Amino acid sequence: MLWTAAGVVTLAFLIALEMAARHYGMPGPITNQAREVIFAPKSGPLLYASMALMMVVLPWRQRFIAAGAAVGIDVVFFLVRWVVDAKMMFGNGALWVIIGCAVVAVTRRTGPERVLLLKGVGLGLLLVAGRKTGDAWLLITSKTRPQVLDQYVATADHALGNPSWVAGRIVDATGAVGAHVLDYVYIQLAVAAVVVALYQLRNVATEGRFPGHHLVRTFLVIGLLGPGIYMIYPVVGPIFAYGADGGHWAVANLWPNTPPSVVTPQHMPFNEITPRNCMPSLHTAWATTIFIHSRRGPRALRYAGVFWLIATLGATLGFGYHYGADIVAGVVFAYTIDAALRAYDRGWDRAGIQLVAYGTVVFVAFLLSYRYLPMEMARYPWLFGPLLIVAMSSVVYGYLRTARGWEPKAVPAKPLEPQPELV
């Protein structure tokens, strides 16, 4: 019933976004996804990552057959596009395989096998739909929020030492190599999430069921709730509001060399193209979630989780996409949502309710302080800077402490019965 309800709600949400996007003269998520059945996909790696996620419900033999079919279909598409001189991109084969598995589930499977295969297909398609949904949300934010609050966030960011300006200069100093590495990490965040999810879901095919809590759930809920906050708190980012990329809409061309001076912030108009997708930083929230869920993996996966989090923070700040205040809010956002999903999975108890409520209060307090106390934060950075970090750290500490209490207690081994000596 839960999976059915989730499917109905997701479909209704996608239809609503499709209608909203078409209202502004652009194709919505359903249209964009349908086009990728034939035309060049936007992200081939994402489609193959989605197929890999779907294949956790298949035995190994069927996984090899599905992967081979996807590659074969892509080779055909590649040759046709090369002949007609069309845009080159792979990924259609992976989407065809996902759709084919849905058809097989409906026509050739019954009972628990059908349900499990449909769950796998739904999980893979949700990851793809999440990307298309995000694109539609970004369009809506740019069209419906003509005023942005960047001056407020930039002023409050003085309390943290203007980290975006510092990171921007560091990335410039690393040259093209550092920029390319960070850009790849930033773009392929969903693929990294799938790698961690594949480890968590590695036993689904043998056990015949999904675990109660895994990375994909948190990843999707963050993507669902985050854009709603974009609508409440529209911010475009320092590279647009204070950099050359903002054109004549920018306050001045200051990023990353000259931090903005402390002046009374105001609402500022901005173009109808740039997404208002800064507050909170969802890339930081997603990378934090990857870090959280990689902690139980092998050493290589744990190291990869740390690397992806650090590199994502470097990219979000170093490319001027976010302020430091966005990053702090994104960390609290991620831990609060993951705590809520874990509490829901195991049954709400007092510790879970308190943790989620506390994380929510801290997150709302951040947004309110950025909006109504930016001048005080800029004037007293020695007070508000540490206060922001301590508040964020307290949520992380509360999560770790509560999650430790949720872990199953180890049962002590029974002492051996004394055995009479053999005579």
Side-chain angles (χ1 to χ4, degrees), residues 37 48 51 55 63-81 89-97:
V37 174
Y48 269 90
M51 184 186 71
M55 289 195 302
R63 292 176 186 176
F64 286 122
I65 293 174
V71 172
I73 294 171
D74 266 327
V75 169
V76 174
F77 270 95
F78 187 89
L79 292 175
V80 171
R81 288 183 181 130
M89 176 55 71
F90 62 93
N92 301 87
L95 185 57
W96 278 47
V97 167

Side-chain angles (χ1 to χ4, degrees), residues 152-174:
Y152 292 88
V153 182
T155 302
D157 220 38
H158 281 77
L160 296 171
N162 301 299
S164 180
W165 272 257
V166 176
R169 293 194 292 271
I170 293 175
V171 171
D172 285 346
T174 61

Side-chain angles (χ1 to χ4, degrees), residues 204-378:
V204 170
T206 56
E207 295 178 356
R209 62 180 181 86
F210 281 84
H213 181 56
H214 51 84
L215 170 63
V216 181
R217 294 203 322 172
T218 308
F219 211 79
L220 292 173
V221 172
I222 287 174
L224 178 65
L225 298 180
I229 303 172
Y230 292 165
M231 302 290 287
I232 299 171
Y233 210 109
V235 181
V236 295
I239 195 172
F240 299 105
Y242 293 92
D245 286 21
H248 70 275
W249 297 96
V251 176
N253 189 1
L254 302 175
W255 188 88
N257 299 312
T258 308
S261 56
V262 179
V263 296
T264 303
Q266 298 177 348
H267 288 67
M268 55 184 289
F270 216 79
N271 61 40
E272 295 185 359
I273 300 174
T274 306
R276 281 67 163 144
N277 62 339
C278 279
M279 181 62 68
S281 169
L282 293 195
H283 264 78
T284 297
W286 283 321
T288 301
T289 304
I290 292 173
F291 170 79
I292 294 171
H293 285 261
S294 65
R295 294 304 86 202
R296 292 188 178 184
R299 181 179 299 178
L301 196 64
R302 296 197 302 270
Y303 286 164
V306 173
F307 165 76
W308 222 270
L309 175 60
I310 294 174
T312 301
L313 295 178
T316 55
L317 292 172
F319 292 150
Y321 298 148
H322 289 281
Y323 304 91
D326 310 337
I327 304 300
V328 173
V331 172
V332 173
F333 191 65
Y335 272 96
T336 302
I337 290 179
D338 198 74
L341 291 174
R342 290 194 65 176
Y344 172 80
D345 178 58
R346 67 183 310 276
W348 289 98
D349 58 8
R350 182 177 180 181
I353 294 172
Q354 288 178 340
L355 175 59
V356 174
Y358 179 68
T360 303
V361 169
V362 171
F363 180 74
V364 173
F366 281 174
L367 298 186
L368 293 176
S369 63
Y370 300 158
R371 174 63 179 83
Y372 296 106
L373 297 174
M375 292 297 292
E376 288 74 10
M377 296 176 70

Side-chain angles (χ1 to χ4, degrees), residues 384-415:
F384 284 96
L387 191 60
L388 290 174
I389 300 301
V390 168
M392 178 192 71
S393 302
S394 67
V395 175
V396 177
Y397 173 75
Y399 177 93
L400 296 176
R401 182 177 179 181
T402 304
R404 196 176 300 120
W406 286 340
E407 297 297 332
K409 301 294 188 295
V411 178
K414 294 178 64 176

